[in-house]
């Protein structure tokens, strides 16, 4: 899918085909495109903070897979409330005994501005629309066989997903995706050169096979009508 900078004026992504970008790690791991806080967490810049977030998130997801979402949310909220109330009472007693006036222990967090500006909401909506439009256009291209080779590749991927769906349920896939989010970016960052080398070999081999199939299937070389007309106009 396209990134923020790849959205066209009409909200449609100007990008390479989805199939072609799957084996391109640069399309997946670009820390400069992330919010600094997110980048710091998933790339383990602060090991302690990343460990806390990863551990808490993993425990929450495992709990959701075993119990209902409502129960997990209620218990986590209750534990959080008990912790904040206990800490608030502890600080109040400590201030009374030491005769200090440090104020509310959560004052820093109470003063945080959590409101979303209109510009921010519009920006998020614009990015979301661009991604949706690009994804829809790509699916249309694949399902309506604009390029038969890409559609065949897409079919193979869907066939693989049927086995993945048989092996794992939805929650297990969410847990695996969460673990991958906190592991793959760092692994790729630390082994970028060797991983890129192997992926280049795979991409070159796939390109070679694809070219042979295109030669064997002339229909795969046909260009969309719109593209052909635009070339004629030139």
């Amino acid at each position: 899918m396209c990134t923020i900078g790849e959205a066209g004026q009409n909200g449609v992504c100007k990008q390479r085909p989805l199939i072609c970008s799957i084996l391109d790690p640069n399309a997946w791991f670009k820390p400069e495109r992330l919010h600094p806080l997110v980048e710091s967490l998933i790339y383990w810049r602060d090991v302690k903070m990343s460990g806390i977030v990863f551990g808490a998130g993993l425990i929450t997801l495992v709990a959701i897979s075993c119990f209902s979402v409502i129960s997990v949310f209620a218990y986590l909220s209750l534990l959080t409330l008990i912790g904040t109330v206990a800490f608030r009472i502890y600080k109040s007693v400590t201030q009374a005994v030491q005769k200090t006036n440090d104020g509310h222990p959560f004052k820093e967090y109470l003063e945080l501005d959590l409101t979303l500006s209109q510009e921010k909401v519009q920006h998020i909506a614009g990015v979301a629309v661009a991604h949706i439009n690009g994804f829809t256009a790509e699916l249309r291209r694949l399902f309506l066989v604009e390029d038969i080779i890409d559609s065949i590749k897409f079919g193979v991927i869907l066939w693989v997903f049927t086995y993945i769906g048989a092996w794992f349920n939805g929650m297990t896939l969410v847990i695996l995706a969460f673990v991958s989010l906190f592991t793959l970016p760092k692994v790729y960052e630390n082994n970028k050169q060797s991983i890129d080398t192997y992926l280049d070999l795979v991409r070159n081999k796939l390109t070679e096979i694809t070219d042979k199939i295109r030669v064997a299937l002339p229909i795969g070389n046909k260009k969309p009508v719109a593209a052909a007309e635009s070339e004629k106009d030139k």
Side-chain angles (χ1 to χ4, degrees):
M1 294 177 67
C2 74
T3 58
I4 295 175
E6 294 170 336
Q9 294 179 351
N10 297 325
V12 178
C13 299
K14 296 179 179 179
Q15 57 180 13
R16 293 177 304 165
L18 178 64
I19 303 299
C20 298
S21 62
I22 289 178
L23 291 177
D24 184 6
N26 291 320
W28 296 87
F29 307 119
K30 288 194 174 182
E32 66 275 7
R33 293 181 177 177
L34 301 174
H35 187 282
L37 179 59
V38 176
E39 187 267 344
S40 176
L41 286 175
I42 66 176
Y43 280 89
W44 296 79
R45 308 302 186 206
D46 185 342
V47 177
K48 181 179 179 181
M49 181 58 67
S50 295
I52 292 174
V53 174
F54 175 71
L58 185 59
I59 291 173
T60 301
L61 291 175
V62 172
I64 291 175
S65 67
C66 299
F67 308 98
S68 70
V69 176
I70 296 176
S71 297
V72 173
F73 174 77
Y75 278 115
L76 288 178
S77 299
L78 184 60
L79 288 174
T80 302
L81 182 60
I82 292 173
T84 54
V85 170
F87 186 73
R88 177 76 169 88
I89 295 174
Y90 167 76
K91 293 298 291 185
S92 298
V93 173
T94 303
Q95 292 177 23
V97 172
Q98 298 178 351
K99 297 181 179 180
T100 58
N101 188 19
D102 296 333
H104 199 289
F106 301 117
K107 181 180 180 181
E108 178 183 354
Y109 301 101
L110 289 172
E111 294 177 350
L112 284 176
D113 184 12
L114 300 179
T115 58
L116 286 174
S117 65
Q118 184 176 359
E119 293 77 12
K120 185 65 175 179
V121 173
Q122 290 176 347
H123 173 71
I124 294 174
V127 172
V129 169
H131 279 75
I132 293 172
N133 288 342
F135 185 70
T136 303
E138 181 68 6
L139 287 180
R140 179 183 62 185
R141 189 184 73 84
L142 293 171
F143 278 111
L144 299 183
V145 199
E146 180 180 290
D147 186 309
I148 191 172
I149 303 302
D150 284 345
S151 294
I152 291 174
K153 293 178 184 177
F154 184 55
V156 172
I157 292 174
L158 293 178
W159 177 71
V160 172
F161 279 163
T162 62
Y163 283 92
I164 294 177
W167 294 334
F168 307 103
N169 59 32
M171 202 59 223
T172 303
L173 292 177
V174 171
I175 294 173
L176 291 175
F178 181 79
V179 173
S180 299
L181 179 66
F182 279 82
T183 53
L184 294 184
K186 191 63 178 179
V187 170
Y188 176 71
E189 184 180 56
N190 292 338
N191 304 276
K192 186 177 187 300
Q193 186 173 358
S194 58
I195 292 176
D196 284 346
T197 300
Y198 287 114
L199 287 180
D200 284 339
L201 293 175
V202 174
R203 281 198 298 268
N204 291 336
K205 191 64 177 179
L206 288 177
T207 301
E208 180 183 345
I209 296 173
T210 300
D211 290 340
K212 291 180 180 179
I213 295 176
R214 287 186 188 278
V215 173
L217 297 175
I219 187 175
N221 295 321
K222 290 185 178 180
K223 298 180 180 179
V225 176
E229 290 180 352
S230 63
E231 289 186 1
K232 288 181 180 179
D233 294 338
K234 294 179 180 179

